[in-house]
Amino acid sequence: MKDETRIIIWPVYLDSTKTKSEGRKIPREGSVKAPKLREISQAAKKLGLNPSTEKHKAYPTSWWEGSGRVIVDRKMGKRELLLKLSNLINGSRSKDK
């Protein structure tokens, strides 16, 4: 049964190295190169979305890559959420340099 209060975030949704047909959901300019589960989870935590990580899950169209996924509370639209997560990850990466 589908849970309408949670959203699944696959790393491919934010990955600038992927095409739209491979699963990227946001524009390439706003996306992140090879996002990690930890980064997505930390960004979701900053947004107060109560993230839970499932490391051994695989995105259905690339089932051979065990990318994992993050499940978060639904507090906004999915596209808006993905853009905010991407911005936070890009911001934290630029601080690390």
Side-chain angles (χ1 to χ4, degrees):
M1 191 163 113
K2 193 170 182 178
D3 185 358
E4 297 294 327
T5 63
R6 308 277 282 162
I7 297 176
I8 294 173
I9 308 296
W10 294 97
V12 69
Y13 289 174
L14 306 170
D15 195 341
S16 64
T17 65
K18 303 292 184 185
T19 63
K20 290 266 188 172
S21 64
E22 290 173 319
R24 184 172 41 83
K25 301 266 188 212
I26 57 176
R28 185 161 281 157
E29 307 81 52
S31 55
V32 179
K33 184 176 182 181
K36 297 185 177 21
L37 284 179
R38 180 184 44 79
E39 293 175 311
I40 297 169
S41 183
Q42 286 174 344
K45 204 174 284 185
K46 284 181 186 174
L47 292 172
L49 299 176
N50 190 27
S52 64
T53 304
E54 297 179 337
K55 294 179 183 178
H56 302 292
K57 297 289 183 174
Y59 187 62
T61 57
S62 57
W63 52 268
W64 60 93
E65 298 173 4
S67 65
R69 67 184 183 183
V70 178
I71 303 174
V72 299
D73 291 339
R74 178 186 297 271
K75 293 189 177 179
M76 59 191 84
K78 190 169 196 169
R79 183 174 163 80
E80 179 186 0
L81 170 63
L82 294 174
L83 288 167
K84 285 185 178 188
L85 289 172
S86 180
N87 286 336
L88 283 170
I89 293 169
N90 278 325
S92 70
R93 284 184 177 183
S94 64
K95 273 193 241 172
D96 292 343
K97 289 183 180 178

